[in-house]
């Protein structure tokens, strides 16, 4: 299957919710929620994508070239590429009939693991969503990162214990989900967390904890103070607040403030290996990709996720070779043009 064939198949399988555009840039789906769009005007989804496209790559092939190594060490293990699938939830609501969260996560986790990377999975009001994701991660030998919503601290700790029991390599929490209207009027509502509360969650587990949904230096330093293993610089793909900056716009200042004291992941509009190269040059350790992995799974199941991961990984390797980087640690700020 080629990537074009994958997109064609996905288009047929997504009931018109997503058009599986060759360039997943938020233009066609804009503010379509339910659906894959962004909140309000949908401008943040588009801005994430557009600001990345404004960054250019400096071509330089006058260097001591060796075979390109795209591997990265994270969570105490080696991944083939610095690329992860982002957590996506409520599949039927946003993408139509083909998958529910359980079957989507099963295909995604398996595909990512086979490609030598890993998937973050989502959480939901229905306990089966999180339980099903953990089952998929268990089946993949623990290679997956379950994401817990910012429920009350007791429930977060309980869900993290379940992740430990499933053998997950790490756990994440999408703290920005405290802005999701759908999760406000439920028996166990989500809410913002203080540094003390977040610290209590982090201290409750031996697993590395990744805090997803950080958009400021202030937020990053709070996550650091709470003991997080890492953060995801993320605005939830533009789905929790309209009019935020693009993630890549705030990345350099956050990376400068963090100074390597915790890992920095980033998502939002990252589509190709060239985009991954750009965010690494600006201080990220790895990238998460959201919507295109959905398209890949709807178009080709686990094999579709492998195809897409290898496409992105291949583009990253090619970009590194053309910019003078043999390994990820060679990628520096001077390799991109702003
Ligand atoms: C339909 C949809 C559902 C999502 N559900 C979740 C979720 O359950 N948990 C979460 O942390 N993020 C969720 N996200 C946000 C993604 O994890 C990620 O931050 C975002 O999609 C990255 O941007 P990209 O899709 O442009 O790559 C969702 C995004 C979309 C489009």
């Amino acid at each position: 299957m080629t990537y074009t064939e994958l997109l064609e198949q996905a288009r047929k399988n997504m009931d018109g919710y997503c058009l599986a555009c060759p360039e997943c840039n938020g233009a066609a789906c804009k503010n379509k929620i339910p659906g894959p769009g962004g909140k309000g005007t949908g401008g943040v989804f588009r801005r994430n994508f557009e600001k990345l496209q404004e960054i250019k790559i400096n071509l330089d092939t006058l260097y001591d070239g060796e075979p390109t190594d795209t591997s990265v060490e994270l969570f105490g293990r080696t991944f083939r590429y610095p690329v992860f699938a982002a957590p996506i939830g409520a599949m039927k609501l946003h993408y139509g009939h083909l998958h529910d969260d359980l079957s989507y996560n099963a295909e995604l986790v398996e595909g990512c693991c086979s490609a030598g990377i890993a998937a973050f999975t989502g959480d939901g009001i229905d306990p089966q969503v999180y339980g099903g994701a953990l089952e998929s991660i268990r089946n993949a030998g623990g290679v997956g990162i379950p994401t817990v919503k910012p429920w009350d601290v007791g429930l977060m700790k309980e869900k993290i214990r379940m992740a430990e029991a499933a053998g997950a390599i790490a756990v994440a929490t999408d703290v920005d989900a405290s802005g999701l209207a759908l999760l406000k009027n439920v028996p166990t509502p989500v809410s913002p967390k203080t540094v003390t509360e977040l610290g209590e969650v982090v201290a409750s587990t031996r697993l590395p904890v990744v805090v997803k949904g950080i958009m400021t230096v202030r937020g990053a330093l709070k996550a650091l103070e709470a003991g997080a293993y890492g953060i995801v610089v993320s605005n939830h793909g533009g789905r929790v607040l309209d009019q935020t900056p693009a993630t890549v716009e705030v990345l350099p200042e956050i990376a400068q403030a963090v100074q390597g004291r915790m890992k920095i992941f980033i998502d939002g509009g990252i589509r190709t290996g060239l985009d991954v190269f750009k965010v690494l040059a600006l201080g990220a350790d790895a990238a998460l990709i959201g919507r295109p992995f959905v398209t890949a799974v709807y178009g080709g199941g686990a094999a579709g996720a492998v195809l897409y991961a290898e496409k992105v990984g291949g583009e990253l390797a090619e970009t590194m070779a053309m910019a003078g980087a043999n390994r990820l640690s060679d990628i520096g700020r001077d390799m991109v043009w702003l």
Side-chain angles (χ1 to χ4, degrees):
M1 186 183 255
T2 65
Y3 189 59
T4 307
E5 287 164 352
L6 181 150
L7 290 180
E8 275 165 22
Q9 192 54 47
R11 212 165 290 134
K12 288 183 197 151
N13 288 343
M14 297 210 282
D15 300 347
Y17 283 86
C18 168
L19 301 181
C21 305
E23 202 174 55
C24 175
N25 59 11
C29 57
K30 224 184 245 179
N31 56 354
K32 216 167 98 180
I33 299 180
K39 190 171 179 176
T41 62
V44 175
F45 176 4
R46 289 202 302 285
R47 190 178 182 97
N48 281 342
F49 176 88
E50 281 159 11
K51 288 293 164 188
L52 266 165
Q53 299 316 302
E54 284 174 17
I55 300 165
K56 302 299 171 195
I57 296 158
N58 291 329
L59 183 138
D60 175 14
T61 52
L62 295 180
Y63 68 105
D64 188 5
E66 292 166 16
T68 310
D69 179 3
T70 57
S71 68
V72 65
E73 301 276 330
L74 287 163
F75 311 120
R77 57 187 298 135
T78 306
F79 295 95
R80 192 169 166 206
Y81 311 121
V83 176
F84 294 82
I88 303 271
M91 303 313 294
K92 284 206 166 156
L93 179 69
H94 300 304
Y95 287 96
H97 76 284
L98 185 68
H99 285 296
D100 58 17
D101 289 22
L102 272 69
S103 63
Y104 173 71
N105 282 326
E107 300 283 345
L108 180 76
V109 169
E110 183 195 326
C112 286
C113 183
S114 311
I117 60 167
F120 284 66
T121 56
D123 193 1
I125 302 164
D126 178 351
Q128 283 194 350
V129 170
Y130 187 75
L134 289 185
E135 197 49 42
S136 303
I137 291 172
R138 191 197 304 272
N139 292 340
V143 183
I145 302 109
T147 307
V148 178
K149 294 263 176 241
W151 314 113
D152 77 64
V153 169
L155 184 53
M156 288 180 81
K157 286 179 3 186
E158 194 182 314
K159 290 199 159 191
I160 290 174
R161 273 196 301 278
M162 289 165 68
E164 288 174 351
I169 53 173
V171 70
T173 174
D174 53 328
V175 290
D176 56 353
S178 67
L180 286 175
L182 273 174
L183 300 178
K184 288 279 183 196
N185 299 315
V186 294
T188 53
V190 291
S191 59
K193 294 285 165 280
T194 63
V195 173
T196 310
E197 287 169 327
L198 188 59
E200 190 183 331
V201 170
V202 173
S204 75
T205 179
R206 55 177 173 74
L207 293 179
V209 177
V210 178
V211 180
K212 177 171 180 283
I214 298 294
M215 283 295 289
T216 60
V217 166
R218 201 170 60 240
L221 295 179
K222 286 183 202 170
L224 183 65
E225 192 185 335
Y229 170 84
I231 52 170
V232 187
V233 175
S234 174
N235 49 32
H236 223 95
R239 291 171 69 88
V240 290
L241 177 66
D242 204 353
Q243 305 290 321
T244 74
T247 51
V248 75
E249 289 178 292
V250 297
L251 172 64
E253 65 205 44
I254 290 177
Q256 197 185 2
V258 167
Q259 301 230 327
R261 289 175 289 171
M262 62 180 172
K263 300 295 179 189
I264 300 181
F265 301 77
I266 179 171
D267 71 18
I270 296 163
R271 301 292 176 255
T272 65
L274 290 89
D275 295 336
V276 174
F277 182 91
K278 292 173 191 177
V279 296
L280 296 186
L282 294 177
D285 295 287
L288 272 60
I289 300 180
R291 295 167 177 99
F293 266 110
V294 180
T295 315
V297 168
Y298 271 71
V306 174
L307 189 152
Y308 180 64
E310 290 184 342
K311 174 180 167 320
V312 172
E315 290 160 351
L316 172 63
E318 201 174 303
T319 308
M320 288 169 66
M322 292 307 289
N326 290 320
R327 55 196 72 80
L328 299 182
S329 56
D330 295 340
I331 302 175
R333 170 67 186 78
D334 60 337
M335 292 183 177
V336 290
W337 186 89
L338 291 165

